[in-house]
Amino acid sequence: MSDIHRTGIRTALATVPLVVGLLAATAVPAGATAGVHPQTSLTCRGAGVDPDARVRHRAEIVIDAPLRTVWDLQTDIERWPSWQAPVTTAERLDPGPLRRGSAFRWTTPVPPNPTPATSLEITSTVEQLRHHTCVRWTGPATGEGLHIDGVHVWTFTKTRGGVRVTTEETHTGPQVDADVPTATAILRQGLEGWLSDLKAAAEARTQHRPR
């Protein structure tokens, strides 16, 4: 998911790397493409993001790596902290390969703002998944003074130059709905940062392995 704080609860949102999209730089990372989300939602097995959510963003990137490498990095939840600095902990709540019904819990730090420093905890459940093609998960993110319900969809498509990864996420909750522009900007930064980190990790791994 992502964060949202500004002026009291808003400052909390705007100064933090809130989740599911998570951290990232203010500028769009090299290679990531963003823009006004289309009218149709990204889907996995026919299910998309929350159609009623006011906070949403879609972004994509092309990664010069094999599809299996990109997929394995994204779905090996417990290794997220090794290539995403904003993810401090990540644990699977069930064994085996990621599949429909799988659940995982992950955290990201929230620095001091109007509230004391805390950690944002996200519990995600996989609702839809198609191997090497798409995954959709949902779940709440909670921290001191903040609650977000998120829906996150990812698709993976072979293309010239590697793999096109597209992601779309929506957030709902009293704090984000109170300041939609700020919440959307932070979600955008998080998603584009995630894509940039995934690209860097996959391409670095590819340099050391034969295709």
Side-chain angles (χ1 to χ4, degrees), residues 1-6 8-20 55 108-111 113-116 118-122 139-150 171-179 182-183 186:
M1 311 195 148
S2 296
D3 350 340
I4 300 151
H5 270 95
R6 207 181 202 185
I9 282 176
R10 291 184 182 179
T11 304
L13 293 190
T15 57
V16 192
L18 217 60
V19 234
V20 183
V55 177
T108 189
V110 178
N113 50 71
T115 62
T118 185
S119 184
L120 194 63
E121 181 177 274
I122 308 97
T142 57
E144 188 169 346
L146 177 63
H147 178 93
I148 297 172
D149 288 305
H171 286 172
T172 57
Q175 291 82 29
V176 297
D177 289 340
D179 190 348
T182 298
I186 294 171

Side-chain angles (χ1 to χ4, degrees), residues 105-197:
R105 183 178 298 117
W106 45 301
T107 58
T108 189
V110 178
N113 50 71
T115 62
T118 185
S119 184
L120 194 63
E121 181 177 274
I122 308 97
T123 303
S124 301
T125 301
V126 176
E127 307 288 353
Q128 285 81 24
L129 182 146
R130 178 169 289 154
H131 190 64
H132 284 183
T133 302
C134 66
V135 60
R136 174 181 177 269
W137 63 66
T138 64
T142 57
E144 188 169 346
L146 177 63
H147 178 93
I148 297 172
D149 288 305
V151 182
H152 204 164
V153 181
W154 295 81
T155 63
F156 305 81
T157 309
K158 285 186 177 180
T159 188
R160 175 178 290 185
V163 180
R164 182 178 303 279
V165 181
T166 308
T167 184
E168 185 174 12
E169 185 172 4
T170 53
H171 286 172
T172 57
Q175 291 82 29
V176 297
D177 289 340
D179 190 348
V180 171
T182 298
T184 302
I186 294 171
L187 175 60
R188 173 185 64 80
Q189 292 172 8
L191 291 182
E192 290 160 10
W194 193 328
L195 288 174
S196 182
D197 287 345

Side-chain angles (χ1 to χ4, degrees), residues 32-47:
T33 302
V36 178
H37 65 82
Q39 295 301 311
T40 56
S41 169
L42 202 63
T43 62
C44 181
R45 292 188 175 273

